[in-house]
Amino acid sequence: MIGFRIAELQRRVAAHWVEKFLAIPVANISDVMARMSAGGAALRPMHAGGALAGPAFTVKTRPGDNLMVHKAIAMAQPGDVIVVDAGGDLTNAIIGEIMTSTAKRRGIAGFVINGAIRDLGTISKDSFPVYAAGVTHRGPYKDGPGEINAPVSLGGMVVAPGDLVLGDEDGLLSIPYAEVEAVHAAAQAKNELEARMLADIANSVLDTAWIDQALARLQCEFVK
């Protein structure tokens, strides 16, 4: 049935790429992706801290309903990130302590919920990664419909099943499966550049000539 179906995940970003990206801030990765992709400022880390990385196991569900999320937890493999598009609605929580505990026990890498969660008191004290748009005590329904392993959209960022999902304190980013290697090479170079800049700042030798060069190129007027 269209809108109510489950598919197996056909491809996953390899585990060695997941490990490599964990060492690079999301902001630096975003910079080399032309700053054009983001999960939206509403999706914030709800856990105690720590980065998120893993292949996307996607769920699209009716707002306020988590039947397909329960099924996704049972289907996903260790290391997967369960990415749920619940329409951004905050009326009913999609997951809480029971589901996060189950997912953690199964080796799931974390949750991204474009919707609400509950049991924040417990989730916020744990390092298990949970990103969500809000919090409510109101529980979910379990009637469907929904889809598992179909493309979803988070704040305009399209996430296909098996894409690499990353998250840290600055927010969420998804890298298309076919672009992971190229993005890593560029992001690693960006990370090394920023490390050199920070060292120059510490030694008071940072070159800022580019600022006046940019102002001249843009024909900024200086008034005395």
Side-chain angles (χ1 to χ4, degrees):
M1 178 188 299
I2 294 174
F4 202 5
R5 55 191 170 188
I6 296 170
E8 295 288 341
L9 186 56
Q10 299 298 318
R11 62 182 189 179
R12 285 178 171 86
V13 170
H16 71 274
W17 287 119
V18 175
E19 290 298 320
K20 287 176 180 290
F21 274 97
L22 277 170
I24 305 176
V26 168
N28 288 353
I29 302 165
S30 176
D31 281 353
V32 303
M33 294 178 70
R35 305 181 175 99
M36 291 291 288
S37 183
L43 292 172
R44 303 303 306 154
M46 300 292 179
H47 56 291
L52 169 71
F57 195 96
T58 61
V59 181
K60 186 173 180 62
T61 187
R62 179 172 65 87
D65 192 285
N66 74 357
L67 174 62
M68 298 300 257
V69 184
H70 280 281
K71 182 60 177 177
I73 293 171
M75 290 178 63
Q77 291 186 9
D80 288 347
V81 176
I82 296 179
V83 180
V84 182
D85 180 9
D89 182 79
L90 305 181
T91 306
N92 298 86
I94 298 298
I95 64 168
E97 181 181 4
I98 297 297
M99 294 175 75
T100 55
S101 297
T102 303
K104 183 178 179 180
R105 180 72 175 175
R106 287 183 48 79
I108 304 303
F111 280 107
V112 175
I113 307 293
N114 187 21
I117 65 166
R118 66 177 181 178
D119 301 324
L120 180 63
T122 301
I123 290 171
S124 65
K125 295 179 177 65
D126 198 338
S127 61
F128 180 73
V130 176
Y131 289 75
V135 179
T136 179
H137 57 81
R138 295 176 64 175
Y141 299 97
K142 295 173 172 59
D143 304 303
E147 293 186 299
I148 291 177
N149 288 322
V152 297
S153 177
L154 308 175
M157 179 179 74
V158 176
V159 182
D163 286 353
L164 179 57
V165 176
L166 305 169
D168 63 16
E169 294 84 354
D170 286 336
L172 291 158
L173 183 62
S174 180
I175 303 175
Y177 179 90
E179 298 176 11
V180 166
E181 185 173 358
V183 170
H184 180 266
Q188 183 63 34
K190 170 71 173 176
N191 212 39
E192 292 169 358
L193 172 63
E194 291 213 348
R196 292 194 296 271
M197 292 176 67
L198 289 169
D200 287 346
I201 291 169
N203 294 313
S204 300
V205 295
L206 182 67
D207 183 3
T208 59
W210 68 270
I211 300 172
D212 287 335
Q213 292 167 2
L215 292 170
R217 175 174 54 83
L218 296 168
Q219 299 182 345
C220 177
E221 180 182 1
F222 288 82
V223 180
K224 295 184 178 179

